[in-house]
Amino acid sequence: MTFSFCRQLRISCGLLLAFCFSQASATAAVTSRCFGTPAHGRLENGVELPRSGANFVSYSHLAAMLGRTYVHSTVRDIMLDAYAALEKDQPGKVYQYAETGSREGGPFKPHKTHQNGLSVDFMVPVLNAEGESVHLPTHVFNRFGYDIEFDKAGHYKDYVIDYEAMAAHIVELRKSALKHGADLTRVIFDPDMQAPLFETRDGPYLKAHLNFSKKPAWVRHDEHYHVDFKLVCSP
């Protein structure tokens, strides 16, 4: 390998890194604008969520490539701040977000909402048979996790829902939202499975400050919980 080739390779790598950093900075600087409601709306300047972090992952790299993990920029900031807080409050716990919406919002099949960048699905945090915090297996053969069915005791195969970690996550989402001048409108989770959530350390906070679904949704929300964020949107 000649000296000139090595020099050219270093220059090319440097330019590529500079481009990646500039793209990341540009994405971070984008400010989104939401319109309408989660059920009838659209999104301007939607931002893609990072596919992984120190204590979280996306439910599917393929789905991300297909453009199904875009949100309002403020929602992204809220989520990342919450994950950062959980690193300290819930060390060793791992989390997994699921479907969010498209870059421009609008209809997002098969969901009835997720249209204006303010709706996010989160896979329930789980413990394996050894009591370790792990991610649910999400892949094309179980519809990226959405076909998983937990029983009312919170069990699925060798996994059990980590209600303490889940409650802590929802609390951090709200606290982070308030810091960003936002809030949580509602949390949709199977009503028959909510009792253990309210029995956790953070249960009293959840009861006092969060609006949980009282009736079953059109599809069962047992393997994931749906969160609608509250921001000021244009009509």
Side-chain angles (χ1 to χ4, degrees):
M1 189 178 292
T2 65
F3 173 78
S4 60
F5 179 79
C6 290
R7 182 172 180 272
Q8 186 62 41
L9 183 61
R10 287 197 299 272
I11 292 173
S12 298
C13 289
L15 290 173
L16 180 59
L17 286 172
F19 173 77
C20 291
F21 281 123
S22 66
Q23 288 297 101
S25 298
T27 299
V30 167
T31 299
S32 304
R33 187 179 177 191
C34 55
F35 297 82
T37 68
H40 299 283
R42 63 185 180 89
L43 179 64
E44 192 174 276
N45 296 326
V47 297
E48 185 178 12
L49 290 169
R51 297 183 188 180
S52 64
N55 61 346
F56 72 90
V57 297
S58 165
Y59 72 123
S60 167
H61 285 291
L62 174 60
M65 292 173 62
L66 293 174
R68 298 184 68 83
T69 57
Y70 281 84
V71 294
H72 190 287
S73 56
T74 300
V75 170
R76 173 203 57 197
D77 295 343
I78 291 169
M79 289 176 60
L80 296 184
D81 285 355
Y83 285 136
L86 288 166
E87 283 188 72
K88 300 177 181 179
D89 184 62
Q90 298 286 314
K93 301 295 184 180
V94 294
Y95 295 87
Q96 186 176 27
Y97 70 82
E99 304 240 281
T100 59
S102 59
R103 188 171 187 174
E104 292 81 24
F108 189 64
K109 295 181 178 181
H111 304 272
K112 291 187 176 181
T113 57
H114 292 257
Q115 292 197 20
N116 67 347
L118 306 187
S119 301
V120 180
D121 284 350
F122 297 95
M123 289 297 171
V124 291
V126 293
L127 302 173
N128 63 13
E130 288 72 42
E132 302 167 323
S133 179
V134 295
H135 300 299
L136 274 177
T138 55
H139 47 71
V140 67
F141 298 109
N142 64 10
R143 205 163 60 89
F144 303 110
Y146 282 88
D147 279 345
I148 290 174
E149 290 288 333
F150 282 86
D151 61 27
K152 291 184 179 181
H155 292 270
Y156 165 73
K157 294 186 177 180
D158 291 331
Y159 303 98
V160 60
I161 296 175
D162 187 347
Y163 282 103
E164 289 288 347
M166 179 178 168
H169 179 223
I170 297 171
V171 168
E172 289 300 342
L173 284 175
R174 183 171 192 265
K175 289 181 177 179
S176 178
L178 293 176
K179 291 177 182 177
H180 286 273
D183 205 341
L184 274 61
T185 301
R186 63 174 177 171
V187 178
I188 301 177
F189 185 58
D190 189 337
D192 291 334
M193 300 175 69
Q194 291 178 18
L197 194 62
F198 297 133
E199 294 170 0
T200 63
R201 180 193 68 178
D202 291 307
Y205 184 97
L206 297 180
K207 282 186 175 182
H209 300 289
L210 277 301
N211 177 29
F212 279 82
S213 53
K214 301 296 190 299
K215 298 179 180 179
W218 68 286
V219 293
R220 188 167 179 242
H221 285 58
D222 58 303
E223 78 293 325
H224 78 281
Y225 44 108
H226 170 110
V227 175
D228 282 331
F229 291 87
K230 183 179 181 181
L231 279 74
V232 177
C233 297
S234 299

